[in-house]
């Protein structure tokens, strides 16, 4: 099927004019009247139309099929939402594309942007008493003003508003909450004083043990658990008090209205931390001392078996406990330099290791009937035993009382101050 075309315009040659059009859609000049078309026999001919002035009456007749003017296909109305088409040289008709200035900006999922009204600080959520304003649409008269500068000023204004809300409402509320948390941490720490004092009392009799090796082992196992439990408790109190003090140190600079209350609370926290650290130091030393005493006592028990077998001239029985005793004394040596331990402990444990090695070598010399070896290793063992009994390697009996009692006193004073201020 051939597309319809109108007679060409005598001025610009356009062939897309509609039937009966008086002026060209392209150049807007008058068009000649349509020529009579053929009609079958029996049908009336279309009446001729008058020609506009300026045209020759003998213009050759044309009967080209005329193409309809866009938009839309022939026989279809223009579709809404699409821009209309115009001939070259003429402005296009406004269409449905582009943002509508009557509507604001939308988020990526098609949801309108909503200003936030909540803030979260130090794990707490606060509701801002006002919604932050959205950036207004720019009037048409300001379009020539730098858009980036306008947006920067608007963001600055919103930022100042947020800062005012934070400093006048949110941050003081956060500071009040942290002061309450500090009071609760102090009360919790003070409530543990009875348990900690009982553990202090156990540390004063740490090295008073039964003569029976099995009973002594059971006692040291019990003391070790007690010291470790007390140490975990006191370190938990120390961590809680220190953590809230760090948060208040930050808030003290940004919440001037709460400055006096924060300063007073931090003084209480500092005093409590100093006392808690004294208890931490004492219980740490006691727990570390038990770690050395337990394997050291087991090695001593093995050495007693070795001595009994040697007295009976049973060399096989004398050599049997040595590997276990050597393993235990090495474990004691690894703990002997821990925090809070007196230097005498490390020296004595090392000397006892020399005793075990000299005794093992003595057993081998006796088996080989090596007289020179027997004398050499007997002297070495006796020298190590003498060193263990010297003042340089002997911890005084009242060492724990003299060392830990002042620490307990400082701890009790701090807990008393907390309770009196409650």
């Amino acid at each position: 099927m051939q597309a319809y075309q109108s007679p060409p315009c005598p001025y610009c040659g356009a062939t897309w004019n509609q039937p009966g059009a008086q002026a060209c859609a392209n150049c807007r000049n008058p068009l000649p009247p349509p020529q009579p078309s053929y009609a079958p026999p029996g049908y009336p001919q279309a009446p001729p139309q008058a020609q506009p002035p300026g045209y020759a009456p003998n213009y050759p007749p044309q009967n080209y099929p005329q193409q309809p003017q866009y938009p839309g296909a022939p026989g279809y109305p223009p579709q809404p939402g699409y821009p209309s088409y115009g001939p070259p040289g003429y402005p296009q008709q406004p269409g449905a594309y582009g943002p509508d200035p009557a509507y604001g900006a939308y988020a990526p999922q098609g949801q309108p942007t909503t200003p936030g009204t909540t803030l979260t600080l130090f794990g707490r959520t606060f509701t801002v008493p006002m919604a932050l304003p959205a950036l207004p649409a720019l009037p048409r008269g300001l379009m020539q003003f730098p858009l980036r500068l306008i947006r920067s000023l608007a963001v600055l204004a919103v930022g100042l508003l947020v800062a005012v809300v934070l400093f006048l409402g949110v941050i003081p509320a956060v500071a009040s909450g942290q002061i309450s948390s500090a009071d609760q941490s102090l009360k919790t720490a003070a409530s543990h004083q009875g348990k900690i004092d009982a553990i202090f009392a156990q540390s004063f009799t740490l090295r008073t043990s039964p003569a029976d090796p099995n009973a002594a082992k059971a006692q040291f196992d019990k003391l070790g658990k007690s010291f470790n439990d007390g140490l975990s408790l006191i370190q938990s109190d120390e961590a809680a008090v220190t953590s809230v003090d760090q948060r208040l140190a930050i808030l003290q600079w940004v919440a001037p209205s709460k400055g006096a209350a924060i300063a007073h609370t931090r003084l209480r926290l500092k005093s409590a931390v100093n006392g808690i650290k004294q208890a931490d130091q004492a219980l740490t030393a006691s727990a570390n001392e038990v770690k050395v005493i337990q394997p050291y006592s087991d090695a001593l028990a093995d050495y007693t078996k070795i001595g009994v077998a040697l007295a009976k001239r049973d060399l096989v029985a004398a050599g049997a406990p040595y590997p276990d005793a050597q393993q235990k004394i090495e474990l004691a040596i690894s703990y002997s330099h821990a925090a809070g331990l007196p230097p005498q402990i490390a020296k004595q444990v090392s000397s006892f290791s020399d005793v075990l090695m000299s005794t093992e070598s003595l057993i081998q010399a006796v088996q080989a009937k090596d007289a020179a070896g027997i004398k050499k290793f007997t002297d070495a063992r006796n020298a190590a035993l003498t060193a263990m009994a010297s003042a340089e390697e002997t911890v005084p009996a009242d060492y724990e009382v003299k060392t830990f009692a002042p620490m307990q006193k400082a701890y009790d004073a701090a807990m008393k101050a907390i309770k009196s201020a409650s």
Side-chain angles (χ1 to χ4, degrees), residues 50-51 81 221 242 301 316 342 393:
Q51 292 184 345
D221 289 344
T242 302
V316 176
E393 299 185 8

Side-chain angles (χ1 to χ4, degrees), residues 3 5 15 21 33 44 63 91 140 164 169 214 227 247 368 389-391 394 413 419:
Q5 290 184 346
T15 60
N63 192 18
R140 295 183 178 271
V164 170
N214 294 328
F227 292 149
R247 295 194 293 269
S390 65
T394 302
K419 293 176 181 179

